Amino acid sequence: SDLLSVGSWHDYKPELDRLKGAIREEGGLSYDTNTCGVHVHRSRKDLTELHITKLLTAFVRLRPWFETIAQRKSCRWGSFSFISDTVDNNCKLIYKKLKDGDMVRDRYVALNLRHRNTIEFRIYKGTLATDTLEAYILFSHFITEWAKQIRIVRIMNDPPEDLWENFKSYVKSGGLLGEVLTKYIAKKGI
């Protein structure tokens, strides 16, 4: 999985800070709007249908925590209903719908699967804060990597609180990038 390294992120961050200043000088808004959101694309290259099924199941089972990280509830631009309304936590049904192509109908969903080479996280509220942008990117990375390695039985059967704690432990083991996301999660009180 490709991810900005700490070094490359720090190379881009000054440019993002400069752009943020220019946007604000022109009266631009991001966080205090109803339509602006941040979309994070992640390569599908190393993802199997089982990995994506586990990730979709995590979206359903860990939704309250996802919404806290994303700083917005499900909305028309990044809805969770495409999963929860149709499959009700049933991993087998998620996998079947994924195999049958039923998970790629709409792009305005929390995890957009319509792109051939990427998955698109559409859950994040707009922001001009570079530390929040970094947390969004890191969350997308770590939740995907966690979903790849966790056993399907656990993601289906463990209580959501236990799954969240397991995810946080996984993030803490993620070196410097894990430390950054761990601090953001703590800042959000979850």
Side-chain angles (χ1 to χ4, degrees), residues 109-128:
V109 293
L111 187 65
N112 178 8
L113 302 174
R114 290 183 75 176
H115 304 283
R116 177 180 301 189
N117 297 318
T118 65
I119 57 174
E120 177 188 16
F121 291 79
R122 295 181 55 96
I123 59 175
Y124 305 112
K125 187 165 183 73
T127 185
L128 294 175

Side-chain angles (χ1 to χ4, degrees), residues 68-82:
T68 300
I69 293 288
Q71 302 187 93
R72 73 176 179 185
K73 300 250 184 243
S74 177
C75 67
R76 71 181 263 212
W77 310 111
S79 173
F80 282 80
S81 63
F82 82 110

Side-chain angles (χ1 to χ4, degrees), residues 10-177:
H10 291 292
D11 292 341
Y12 286 109
K13 194 170 188 269
E15 181 63 17
L16 287 172
D17 286 333
R18 188 193 65 70
L19 285 170
K20 174 179 67 175
I23 291 167
R24 286 193 172 142
E25 283 177 18
E26 294 296 321
L29 294 174
S30 180
Y31 187 81
D32 292 325
T33 69
N34 290 324
T35 59
C36 185
V38 174
H39 304 178
V40 175
H41 285 258
R42 191 229 186 255
S43 173
R44 283 181 180 248
K45 197 177 347 182
D46 63 329
L47 298 177
T48 66
E49 288 174 336
L50 181 59
H51 295 147
I52 294 172
T53 298
K54 292 190 291 182
L55 185 57
L56 289 167
T57 305
F59 267 75
V60 174
R61 307 246 13 251
L62 300 175
R63 180 177 176 172
W65 294 278
F66 277 43
E67 288 177 336
T68 300
I69 293 288
Q71 302 187 93
R72 73 176 179 185
K73 300 250 184 243
S74 177
C75 67
R76 71 181 263 212
W77 310 111
S79 173
F80 282 80
S81 63
F82 82 110
I83 307 168
S84 53
D85 291 352
T86 59
V87 297
D88 195 31
N89 291 342
N90 185 329
C91 230
K92 289 178 188 173
L93 190 52
I94 291 173
Y95 184 74
K96 181 180 178 342
K97 285 184 168 285
L98 186 62
K99 293 283 283 178
D100 293 345
D102 286 347
M103 290 291 189
V104 295
R105 291 176 293 185
D106 189 5
R107 72 181 184 143
Y108 299 114
V109 293
L111 187 65
N112 178 8
L113 302 174
R114 290 183 75 176
H115 304 283
R116 177 180 301 189
N117 297 318
T118 65
I119 57 174
E120 177 188 16
F121 291 79
R122 295 181 55 96
I123 59 175
Y124 305 112
K125 187 165 183 73
T127 185
L128 294 175
T130 51
D131 62 328
T132 302
L133 287 172
E134 182 179 29
Y136 289 171
I137 293 166
L138 291 174
F139 181 75
S140 300
H141 167 72
F142 277 103
I143 197 67
T144 304
E145 293 302 311
W146 175 79
K148 284 170 51 180
Q149 60 85 39
I150 193 167
R151 294 181 54 227
I152 191 120
V153 172
R154 291 204 60 199
I155 206 161
M156 288 178 2
N157 297 326
D158 283 9
E161 297 79 11
D162 292 353
L163 286 175
W164 182 250
E165 290 303 318
N166 182 278
F167 170 70
K168 289 194 317 185
S169 293
Y170 180 79
V171 170
K172 285 180 184 174
S173 71
L176 292 175
L177 296 176

